Amino acid sequence: MSMDEIKRLREEIRIVTEEIIRAISKRRILAEKLGEAKKALGISPIDLDAEAELRAQIAKIASENGLDPEYAQKILSLLIQDAISIQQPQTKPRITHMDIFRRAKQLEMSGEKIYHLEVGEPDFGAPRQVAETLSWAASHGYAAYGEAKGRPELRKAIRDLLRENIGVDVSEDQIVITPGGRFAVYLAAASTLRPGDQAVVIDPSWPLYKQVVEMMHARSLVIHTRLEDKWRPKHEALDKYLRQKPRTIFINYPNNPTGTTISSTEMSELVEEISRTGAYLVSDEVYMDYCFTDFTSALETGYERTIVINSFSKSWGMTGYRIGYIVASKELADRAARIVSQLITCVPEFIQIAAVRAIEDREIPRSYGETMKRRLEIVSRELDKIGVSYVKPSGGMYVFPKIGEDGFDSAEFALNLLEKKRVAVAPGTAFGDYPEYIRISVGLGEEDLRKGLQILVENLQRTGRQEG
Ligand code: PMP
């Protein structure tokens, strides 16, 4: 091949690329017009049936032109995502949950007493013997580079714990130690999602799931559940979303923020449906020990593509230790471990040794779970007195009541409550499209909980529920 030939091919590629860019630009203008038309008719910007039709058509065209259909779908997903973002201009809410958290911190720094009903952190702290083991380990040489998956004795301890708690046998090479549950969620997304992929998230949800999907340049298919349905996704909704062939599905039971749990029958049915699509199931089980009914782990279903997220933050109150783990197939665990190795080498060894010590004490998670249950009952009793709607938590450390009718802005309510009464709550908008809801956390001591709750309930009677 001559240099002239290379030049000619480059020129052709340039022309084709310019055509693609012009076509994308045209597509965006059309998407904007479509968005306006839908808005005028009050139609949602997302139409999964229309997407499915387009996907089928593109798969056909790809095959006809000798293009890998999967590759074509990836490009199409990016185009669809782009069109949706054009049709759904992000109107920034006036007040976000982050404003409330920041303001609570500010007030506290200026010496004000704040009742923290907003934090997702248990007040327990790490057990004393765990802290002692940590300093012992750091000064006895457990401070070197280690295996990316984590120290074998910790993975063995977790394996034994899982066998004891949920009756499931996993091998040590299916476990990866992570710096906290948060990073474990990131790893699950990074190990399963590619740009243009889709992932199902069930709202209301802990905000991180949607954030990690976005980080992967993938798209969240959000199932909006309702209090009236006890926060369960409707069968038809799940079915419709699964037909979109998502790569990954995130679930979280006991749930943050609703406190709902899942029975073993429901889990089996859910996994049965998911398994038909071949999607990965990411089951965030960090509230496993705050479960007031029989706990069910997704691992019990034996579905090969399950990734379980867990953490020492809730079960042993070790939030600041930043240690958690994932359990997955060996292949996926290897993939996740490669990311750990590239980004952080490994979780500090002395922290892992402290975690081994924590696991030796099986009583602590049980007693922490009982404390949360007692505190949640206090909240339920208070809410019942004023007749607020909510689902009574069967796990977790939160209650998610509805405190206003249509048009209510819980972020504004939360900011007012903080400014005037020094009580912080998380507005429902932090967890999806739930402006009529707030999340009450019981991560604080009982005395403060009672006082904060008293003030909240008085204000709900006056502000939220009467003025709507
Ligand atoms: N999953 C859920 C549902 C959570 O609420 C949290 C903490 N708020 C985590 C995971 C992560 O906790 P950590 O990173 O402290 O392990």
Side-chain angles (χ1 to χ4, degrees):
M1 186 177 285
S2 68
M3 270 320 278
D4 279 352
E5 183 70 350
I6 287 178
K7 235 171 144 176
R8 192 188 59 75
L9 286 172
R10 274 197 186 135
E11 182 58 14
E12 267 191 60
I13 286 181
R14 185 184 62 78
I15 291 167
V16 171
T17 313
E18 281 179 11
E19 277 167 9
I20 294 172
I21 296 297
R22 276 192 209 99
I24 290 176
S25 168
K26 194 166 163 193
R27 195 179 196 280
R28 300 191 93 208
I29 292 167
L30 289 170
E32 203 174 327
K33 282 190 184 152
L34 181 63
E36 278 161 18
K38 282 182 184 169
K39 198 172 164 199
L41 293 175
I43 300 174
S44 158
I46 298 172
D47 182 337
L48 294 182
D49 293 332
E51 281 182 32
E53 214 172 288
L54 181 61
R55 278 183 192 283
Q57 178 64 10
I58 293 303
K60 187 165 153 270
I61 301 279
S63 309
E64 283 168 10
N65 286 277
L67 184 67
D68 175 8
E70 198 160 320
Y71 179 71
Q73 291 300 325
K74 227 173 234 180
I75 307 261
L76 177 60
S77 295
L78 292 176
L79 292 173
I80 291 176
Q81 259 169 262
D82 184 48
I84 289 171
S85 66
I86 290 169
Q87 292 179 43
Q88 211 171 24
Q90 295 298 321
T91 44
K92 257 181 103 59
R94 212 169 57 77
I95 304 159
T96 71
H97 64 286
M98 289 316 291
D99 294 327
I100 289 152
F101 299 149
R102 266 193 297 270
R103 184 66 184 138
K105 274 265 166 290
Q106 245 177 21
L107 286 169
E108 201 158 44
M109 299 240 304
S110 64
E112 295 277 349
K113 163 81 182 164
I114 304 293
Y115 294 99
H116 286 288
L117 301 183
E118 89 286 23
V119 287
E121 181 170 13
D123 58 328
F124 306 132
R128 192 179 40 80
Q129 67 277 19
V130 172
E132 282 167 6
T133 305
L134 177 91
S135 20
W136 174 87
S139 53
H140 283 77
Y142 291 98
Y145 292 144
E147 250 183 86
K149 275 193 181 172
R151 289 187 64 85
E153 67 267 48
L154 177 55
R155 287 186 285 132
K156 180 178 176 307
I158 291 170
R159 190 197 66 183
D160 294 347
L161 186 73
L162 292 173
R163 187 182 295 151
E164 199 180 299
N165 281 350
I166 57 173
V168 169
D169 259 315
V170 298
S171 79
E172 283 143 49
D173 52 11
Q174 289 179 261
I175 298 170
V176 183
I177 308 299
T178 65
R182 196 173 259 282
F183 195 83
V185 171
Y186 166 81
L187 277 185
S191 315
T192 60
L193 293 169
R194 297 285 166 270
D197 279 349
Q198 311 194 76
V200 170
V201 175
I202 303 170
D203 265 1
S205 63
W206 189 42
L208 184 67
Y209 309 130
K210 279 179 254 173
Q211 291 162 356
V212 290
V213 171
E214 200 179 320
M215 269 186 226
M216 299 304 136
H217 302 286
R219 169 190 181 198
S220 294
L221 296 174
V222 178
I223 303 185
H224 182 90
T225 63
R226 306 180 322 147
L227 171 71
E228 293 78 0
D229 302 321
K230 300 209 166 350
W231 303 118
R232 281 283 177 264
K234 283 210 170 106
H235 184 77
E236 313 85 76
L238 187 66
D239 198 44
K240 183 170 173 178
Y241 281 69
L242 289 180
R243 265 187 276 124
Q244 295 294 311
K245 298 211 173 14
R247 180 86 61 197
T248 307
I249 289 137
F250 290 87
I251 61 169
N252 166 223
Y253 299 105
N255 184 266
N256 173 8
T258 63
T260 48
T261 51
I262 190 166
S263 71
S264 110
T265 320
E266 283 174 304
M267 180 69 94
S268 307
E269 285 169 3
L270 180 68
V271 171
E272 162 83 37
E273 281 197 59
I274 293 172
S275 65
R276 275 192 244 124
T277 70
Y280 289 101
L281 172 65
V282 178
S283 180
D284 182 341
E285 300 179 359
V286 302
Y287 294 102
M288 161 181 170
D289 288 305
Y290 301 173
C291 190
F292 323 135
T293 57
D294 284 339
F295 171 74
T296 304
S297 168
L299 288 174
E300 291 170 49
T301 66
Y303 180 48
E304 162 85 8
R305 295 191 161 201
T306 300
I307 303 158
V308 159
I309 308 291
N310 221 320
S311 167
F312 287 76
S313 291
K314 317 290 169 182
S315 299
W316 283 278
M318 290 164 62
T319 48
Y321 282 61
R322 310 309 306 132
I323 185 159
Y325 57 93
I326 65 167
V327 186
S329 66
K330 179 175 177 309
E331 185 210 340
L332 214 117
D334 287 348
R335 220 183 290 169
R338 259 195 307 279
I339 302 174
V340 170
S341 157
Q342 286 159 356
L343 296 183
I344 58 164
T345 305
C346 66
V347 171
E349 295 205 297
F350 42 87
I351 297 177
Q352 295 192 54
I353 299 291
V356 174
R357 179 69 186 89
I359 290 182
E360 281 169 19
D361 194 331
R362 307 283 214 262
E363 186 49 35
I364 286 176
R366 221 182 47 76
S367 80
Y368 285 179
E370 269 174 15
T371 303
M372 290 307 182
K373 182 171 181 234
R374 198 173 56 240
R375 290 178 185 173
L376 286 170
E377 274 162 6
I378 296 174
V379 179
S380 293
R381 270 200 299 277
E382 288 304 314
L383 294 180
D384 287 346
K385 281 186 201 159
I386 57 166
V388 171
S389 309
Y390 68 101
V391 172
K392 194 168 188 299
S394 45
M397 52 181 279
Y398 313 99
V399 188
F400 198 58
K402 182 174 184 189
I403 63 160
E405 297 307 323
D406 275 1
F408 185 80
D409 182 354
S410 62
E412 197 170 314
F413 169 84
L415 193 61
N416 270 331
L417 189 70
L418 178 62
E419 292 293 351
K420 296 188 185 139
K421 305 289 176 182
R422 302 299 188 242
V423 175
V425 293
T429 40
F431 311 96
D433 187 15
Y434 298 94
E436 307 89 8
Y437 292 79
I438 54 169
R439 187 191 73 177
I440 301 168
S441 162
V442 297
L444 70 174
E446 247 163 71
E447 202 185 321
D448 272 7
L449 174 65
R450 283 181 196 278
K451 282 186 191 152
L453 207 54
Q454 179 80 34
I455 301 170
L456 169 67
V457 162
E458 277 165 16
N459 278 268
L460 284 181
Q461 271 175 314
R462 258 186 288 125
T463 326
R465 311 203 52 252
Q466 285 173 11
E467 291 169 16

